[in-house]
PDB file of all heavy atoms in Angstrom:
ATOM      1  N   VAL A 237     -25.925  49.490  24.812  1.00 95.00           N
ATOM      2  CA  VAL A 237     -27.188  50.131  24.589  1.00 95.00           C
ATOM      3  C   VAL A 237     -27.316  51.250  25.629  1.00 95.00           C
ATOM      4  O   VAL A 237     -28.394  51.655  26.057  1.00 95.00           O
ATOM      5  CB  VAL A 237     -28.446  49.140  24.754  1.00 95.00           C
ATOM      6  CG1 VAL A 237     -28.460  48.220  23.513  1.00 95.00           C
ATOM      7  CG2 VAL A 237     -28.425  48.363  26.055  1.00 95.00           C
ATOM      8  N   GLU A 238     -26.235  51.803  26.007  1.00 92.00           N
ATOM      9  CA  GLU A 238     -26.262  52.999  26.949  1.00 92.00           C
ATOM     10  C   GLU A 238     -26.852  54.217  26.246  1.00 92.00           C
ATOM     11  O   GLU A 238     -26.592  54.368  25.042  1.00 92.00           O
ATOM     12  CB  GLU A 238     -24.924  53.264  27.510  1.00 92.00           C
ATOM     13  CG  GLU A 238     -24.295  52.068  28.359  1.00 92.00           C
ATOM     14  CD  GLU A 238     -22.770  52.269  28.447  1.00 92.00           C
ATOM     15  OE1 GLU A 238     -22.076  52.326  27.491  1.00 92.00           O
ATOM     16  OE2 GLU A 238     -22.368  52.269  29.640  1.00 92.00           O
ATOM     17  N   PRO A 239     -27.616  55.141  26.912  1.00 95.00           N
ATOM     18  CA  PRO A 239     -27.950  55.007  28.293  1.00 95.00           C
ATOM     19  C   PRO A 239     -29.255  54.335  28.593  1.00 95.00           C
ATOM     20  O   PRO A 239     -30.194  54.508  27.778  1.00 95.00           O
ATOM     21  CB  PRO A 239     -27.934  56.480  28.733  1.00 95.00           C
ATOM     22  CG  PRO A 239     -28.482  57.192  27.553  1.00 95.00           C
ATOM     23  CD  PRO A 239     -27.951  56.416  26.296  1.00 95.00           C
ATOM     24  N   ILE A 240     -29.429  53.595  29.591  1.00 97.00           N
ATOM     25  CA  ILE A 240     -30.747  53.224  30.279  1.00 97.00           C
ATOM     26  C   ILE A 240     -30.597  53.541  31.674  1.00 97.00           C
ATOM     27  O   ILE A 240     -29.644  53.155  32.372  1.00 97.00           O
ATOM     28  CB  ILE A 240     -30.997  51.687  30.006  1.00 97.00           C
ATOM     29  CG1 ILE A 240     -31.106  51.326  28.531  1.00 97.00           C
ATOM     30  CG2 ILE A 240     -32.240  51.293  30.803  1.00 97.00           C
ATOM     31  CD1 ILE A 240     -31.225  49.820  28.273  1.00 97.00           C
ATOM     32  N   GLU A 241     -31.611  54.339  32.117  1.00 97.00           N
ATOM     33  CA  GLU A 241     -31.455  54.802  33.591  1.00 97.00           C
ATOM     34  C   GLU A 241     -32.093  53.684  34.424  1.00 97.00           C
ATOM     35  O   GLU A 241     -33.236  53.207  34.183  1.00 97.00           O
ATOM     36  CB  GLU A 241     -32.308  56.018  33.759  1.00 97.00           C
ATOM     37  CG  GLU A 241     -32.134  56.585  35.184  1.00 97.00           C
ATOM     38  CD  GLU A 241     -32.786  57.948  35.404  1.00 97.00           C
ATOM     39  OE1 GLU A 241     -33.139  58.633  34.399  1.00 97.00           O
ATOM     40  OE2 GLU A 241     -32.991  58.360  36.581  1.00 97.00           O
ATOM     41  N   LEU A 242     -31.357  53.326  35.472  1.00 98.00           N
ATOM     42  CA  LEU A 242     -31.687  52.253  36.405  1.00 98.00           C
ATOM     43  C   LEU A 242     -32.227  52.927  37.709  1.00 98.00           C
ATOM     44  O   LEU A 242     -31.524  53.716  38.166  1.00 98.00           O
ATOM     45  CB  LEU A 242     -30.554  51.305  36.589  1.00 98.00           C
ATOM     46  CG  LEU A 242     -30.089  50.587  35.328  1.00 98.00           C
ATOM     47  CD1 LEU A 242     -28.969  49.562  35.675  1.00 98.00           C
ATOM     48  CD2 LEU A 242     -31.195  49.903  34.570  1.00 98.00           C
ATOM     49  N   ILE A 243     -33.303  52.351  38.279  1.00 98.00           N
ATOM     50  CA  ILE A 243     -33.932  52.923  39.424  1.00 98.00           C
ATOM     51  C   ILE A 243     -34.078  51.765  40.438  1.00 98.00           C
ATOM     52  O   ILE A 243     -34.682  50.777  40.200  1.00 98.00           O
ATOM     53  CB  ILE A 243     -35.314  53.593  39.170  1.00 98.00           C
ATOM     54  CG1 ILE A 243     -35.196  54.558  38.104  1.00 98.00           C
ATOM     55  CG2 ILE A 243     -35.881  54.062  40.400  1.00 98.00           C
ATOM     56  CD1 ILE A 243     -36.511  55.129  37.583  1.00 98.00           C
ATOM     57  N   ASN A 244     -33.440  51.905  41.590  1.00 98.00           N
ATOM     58  CA  ASN A 244     -33.612  50.939  42.686  1.00 98.00           C
ATOM     59  C   ASN A 244     -34.875  51.311  43.455  1.00 98.00           C
ATOM     60  O   ASN A 244     -34.965  52.397  44.139  1.00 98.00           O
ATOM     61  CB  ASN A 244     -32.362  50.967  43.615  1.00 98.00           C
ATOM     62  CG  ASN A 244     -32.438  49.921  44.707  1.00 98.00           C
ATOM     63  OD1 ASN A 244     -31.846  50.170  45.784  1.00 98.00           O
ATOM     64  ND2 ASN A 244     -33.044  48.757  44.479  1.00 98.00           N
ATOM     65  N   SER A 245     -35.903  50.456  43.315  1.00 97.00           N
ATOM     66  CA  SER A 245     -37.184  50.775  43.984  1.00 97.00           C
ATOM     67  C   SER A 245     -38.119  49.591  44.136  1.00 97.00           C
ATOM     68  O   SER A 245     -38.060  48.658  43.300  1.00 97.00           O
ATOM     69  CB  SER A 245     -37.934  51.889  43.117  1.00 97.00           C
ATOM     70  OG  SER A 245     -39.202  52.226  43.541  1.00 97.00           O
ATOM     71  N   ASP A 246     -38.862  49.652  45.207  1.00 97.00           N
ATOM     72  CA  ASP A 246     -39.919  48.569  45.308  1.00 97.00           C
ATOM     73  C   ASP A 246     -41.125  49.081  44.535  1.00 97.00           C
ATOM     74  O   ASP A 246     -41.988  50.027  44.994  1.00 97.00           O
ATOM     75  CB  ASP A 246     -40.289  48.556  46.844  1.00 97.00           C
ATOM     76  CG  ASP A 246     -41.355  47.471  47.112  1.00 97.00           C
ATOM     77  OD1 ASP A 246     -41.690  46.733  46.204  1.00 97.00           O
ATOM     78  OD2 ASP A 246     -41.583  47.272  48.319  1.00 97.00           O
ATOM     79  N   LEU A 247     -41.265  48.611  43.270  1.00 97.00           N
ATOM     80  CA  LEU A 247     -42.182  49.098  42.351  1.00 97.00           C
ATOM     81  C   LEU A 247     -42.076  50.634  42.226  1.00 97.00           C
ATOM     82  O   LEU A 247     -40.936  51.116  41.894  1.00 97.00           O
ATOM     83  CB  LEU A 247     -43.603  48.690  42.718  1.00 97.00           C
ATOM     84  CG  LEU A 247     -43.848  47.103  42.760  1.00 97.00           C
ATOM     85  CD1 LEU A 247     -45.281  46.772  43.131  1.00 97.00           C
ATOM     86  CD2 LEU A 247     -43.424  46.418  41.513  1.00 97.00           C
ATOM     87  N   PHE A 248     -43.131  51.400  42.433  1.00 97.00           N
ATOM     88  CA  PHE A 248     -43.059  52.885  42.181  1.00 97.00           C
ATOM     89  C   PHE A 248     -42.776  53.691  43.475  1.00 97.00           C
ATOM     90  O   PHE A 248     -43.056  54.877  43.457  1.00 97.00           O
ATOM     91  CB  PHE A 248     -44.415  53.376  41.582  1.00 97.00           C
ATOM     92  CG  PHE A 248     -44.712  52.669  40.204  1.00 97.00           C
ATOM     93  CD1 PHE A 248     -45.441  51.665  40.064  1.00 97.00           C
ATOM     94  CD2 PHE A 248     -44.200  53.343  39.037  1.00 97.00           C
ATOM     95  CE1 PHE A 248     -45.708  51.029  38.837  1.00 97.00           C
ATOM     96  CE2 PHE A 248     -44.461  52.855  37.782  1.00 97.00           C
ATOM     97  CZ  PHE A 248     -45.249  51.708  37.754  1.00 97.00           C
TER      98      PHE A 248
END
Side-chain angles (χ1 to χ4, degrees):
V237 291
E238 297 164 303
I240 294 176
E241 184 172 347
L242 300 181
I243 304 171
N244 182 214
S245 179
D246 185 359
L247 299 182
F248 294 94

